[in-house]
Each structure stands twice: as structure tokens, then as C-alpha cells.
Amino acid sequence: MCLACFGTGLFLGASRPALVGADQPAAAKDNAPKPAPPFAMAARLGANLYLQTAAEYRACCLAIYQAAEARLAVLRALPAQLPRPAVVMDLDETVLDNAAFESFLHRYNVEYSDDLWEYYEKNYQDEVTLVPGARQFILAAQRMGVSVVFMSNRTETNRAATAAALRRLGVADGPLKDRLVLKPKGGSSDKSARREQVAARYNVLVYFGDNLRDFSETFVTPRLTPKDGPDAYTAAIRNRFRQVDEARCHWGVDWFVLPNPAYGEWEKLIAADPFGQLRPTSIVPPKLR
Ligand SMILES: [Mg+2]
């Protein structure tokens, strides 16, 4: 099927099923309370323009990866290290830049769907680029004798396409079999079990991600509905802030987070009335004073 068919046919106006419980059985989904309306692509335009055009975003990524490289050098210099040192890196918007997919959604005026993402993941690996600084960090880690493990919620079904992208981009050195940890078909987006499996094989020194769930499932966001009311959204947002503050000892030490204003766990807490979630202000237009 051509892209134009996707743009005007089956997928037009598709919602974001990942946000309504992709990990739940079908029956549970049918009975689940309806979430807030999806955060539309039109509202993400500024975020995607920032990712694609702002040198400030590039500077952020370079700063994070350079700081991580310096931190890894310190860790590697420590005496009496455990064998098999490794770093664990999420892929999308941490190592891999999927601006092409986001541009496609905007250009064809379609909303995200898991089906469209899989279509892109499987067929358009040549369009994937790298997050600034990722390749330099990965090469530096390899020079330090540190294994790079990629842990992603890309699907195991499309392993060949993802591996081809990593090889084309020069960030896959050697066999990927045990170092490309993907989501099993029909599996959970919760990475906890996969993190434990990797930690059993490697001495993981540092984690990277653009989503807090890349670091710990404690950051999973509750599935609120409009019925819960605005206070529930505010409380859940404040709880995420508090959790991040409580994990302060990790940030920039063994957890490095890349900015992603276009999508992520955070958007589950964007309510039906996003304007109502903006910080209160006493400012009024001059003519109304
Ligand atoms: Mg990601």
C-alpha cells in the first residue's frame, strides 16, 4: 500500500492505541475507561520543529553524551571492577532519530498509531538517523571495553530492519544477538524483566533513555480519564516531579535522559483541556487592566 493510501484511507484519524493499554488483553481494553482524547499531532508541531531545526536541541544532546562519556571514563578507572561492563541504551529518540516518521505524520495529517509505527519500523530503516552525540559516545564506550546493549520497545518481529539501521549508522560493532533486546511480539512495554536479564549478564554502569520508564518502571504513569477530574491530573504530574527529585542521585551519575518534547510517557497526563494545565498567571492584557 502506498503512503498516500495510509494518508487518506484506513489510518486516517487513528488514535494512539499505545496510550490506552496496548499491553492489556483485548477484553480488558474493551471494558477499560476511556482515556483523555489523544494529544493530536497538530499540537506537536512546535516540538517536532524544535527537534528538527533547533541547534539548541543538538547542544543539549552533545552535552549529555559528552558528560556521560566523562562519567564512564571515571567508572572504568575505578579499581576492582566487575567483569563485563556495559551501558544500556534505549533506541528511539535516545540513539535513533525518527524525525522522518514524525514528518510523515504531519505531512499526511494522520495521527500516530502502532500500525503506522510498525509499517515505518519495518520498511523505512533507511530513513532513520542518529541523535547528535550518540555515535561518538558509543564508539568511546567500545574503546573503553564497555559493551553497548540496546534495549528498545521496537518489536522482535522487525529485528532485521532495526539491526540493519544500527549497522548502516555505524553503531553496531560485532554480533547484536544478545545486545539488541527488543519487545517480544505481543509482549509488554515494561522493560523491567529485560533490564533484569541484562543485569544478570553484564555489569551495567550507565542507562540512557528519553522516557523515564527506560530507567525504572516506578515512573509508569497512571491511566487517567476525564472522569478523574483536573485535580487527579495535577496530582499525577506533581507525583512524577517528586519521583524524579527522589531519584536525584541517579541523574547524570548512572542515568542519562535525552530530551524528547514530541512524545513520551508524560503525554498521558495531558488532559482534554491542555490550556487548563498551564501554570496560573496574574498577567492580563494591558487593555483589560
Ligand atoms: Mg525512546
Side-chain angles (χ1 to χ4, degrees):
M1 185 179 286
C2 69
L3 281 185
C5 298
F6 274 95
T8 58
L10 178 63
F11 294 96
L12 187 63
S15 64
R16 304 200 66 167
L19 300 183
V20 299
D23 305 324
Q24 300 170 18
K29 278 186 202 172
D30 291 343
N31 296 327
K34 292 284 179 281
F39 191 37
M41 279 306 294
R44 303 169 200 265
L45 182 59
N48 278 310
L49 286 172
Y50 176 79
L51 288 168
Q52 296 186 28
T53 70
E56 288 82 354
Y57 167 68
R58 190 174 188 83
C60 283
C61 296
L62 293 181
I64 292 160
Y65 274 120
Q66 286 178 179
E69 182 179 333
R71 174 67 184 157
L72 193 61
V74 169
L75 292 171
R76 286 296 283 146
L78 294 174
Q81 294 181 44
L82 294 171
R84 306 202 76 189
V87 295
V88 172
M89 308 182 81
D90 168 58
L91 284 180
D92 297 313
E93 275 53 66
T94 297
V95 173
L96 301 181
D97 178 330
N98 299 293
F101 179 69
E102 299 291 323
S103 294
F104 154 70
L105 295 177
H106 283 294
R107 284 183 186 280
Y108 284 84
N109 193 27
V110 288
E111 297 298 329
Y112 172 93
S113 73
D114 284 354
D115 288 333
L116 275 181
W117 172 264
E118 277 217 49
Y119 168 76
Y120 159 76
E121 188 182 293
K122 181 178 180 183
N123 297 295
Y124 288 91
Q125 63 91 1
D126 286 348
E127 297 262 351
V128 180
T129 60
L130 284 171
V131 169
R135 185 166 184 269
Q136 290 85 343
F137 172 82
I138 290 167
L139 296 179
Q142 289 167 349
R143 283 195 301 272
M144 290 184 221
V146 175
S147 296
V148 177
V149 177
F150 300 112
M151 184 178 295
S152 171
N153 282 335
R154 285 175 169 241
T155 62
E156 188 64 46
T157 311
N158 294 329
R159 167 174 285 269
T162 298
L166 293 170
R167 294 201 188 288
R168 176 178 57 80
L169 294 165
V171 293
D173 182 33
L176 276 174
K177 186 172 180 297
D178 294 331
R179 294 191 301 108
L180 180 56
V181 184
L182 301 170
K183 184 170 77 170
K185 187 174 173 57
S188 171
S189 58
D190 178 354
K191 293 181 171 178
S192 300
R194 283 174 279 162
R195 267 193 295 270
E196 286 176 19
Q197 289 164 7
V198 170
R201 293 202 306 269
Y202 293 96
N203 170 29
V204 180
L205 301 175
V206 175
Y207 290 85
F208 292 86
D210 66 301
N211 184 320
L212 296 184
R213 291 175 70 192
D214 294 328
F215 305 97
S216 168
E217 194 63 9
T218 58
F219 294 114
V220 69
T221 302
R223 299 184 186 286
L224 300 178
T225 73
K227 269 190 188 168
D228 293 308
D231 289 350
Y233 285 83
T234 302
I237 289 168
R238 286 184 178 158
N239 187 53
R240 293 193 92 217
F241 289 172
R242 182 184 56 76
Q243 287 181 305
V244 164
D245 288 350
E246 288 176 357
R248 186 178 278 109
C249 63
H250 286 294
W251 305 119
V253 177
D254 59 349
W255 292 356
F256 289 84
V257 61
L258 280 295
N260 181 0
Y263 68 89
E265 189 74 3
W266 57 271
E267 71 184 76
K268 287 182 185 173
L269 298 177
I270 302 300
D273 172 25
F275 286 102
Q277 292 181 291
L278 292 172
R279 191 172 301 178
T281 175
S282 64
I283 304 171
V284 295
K287 286 183 181 174
L288 299 180
R289 288 182 70 183

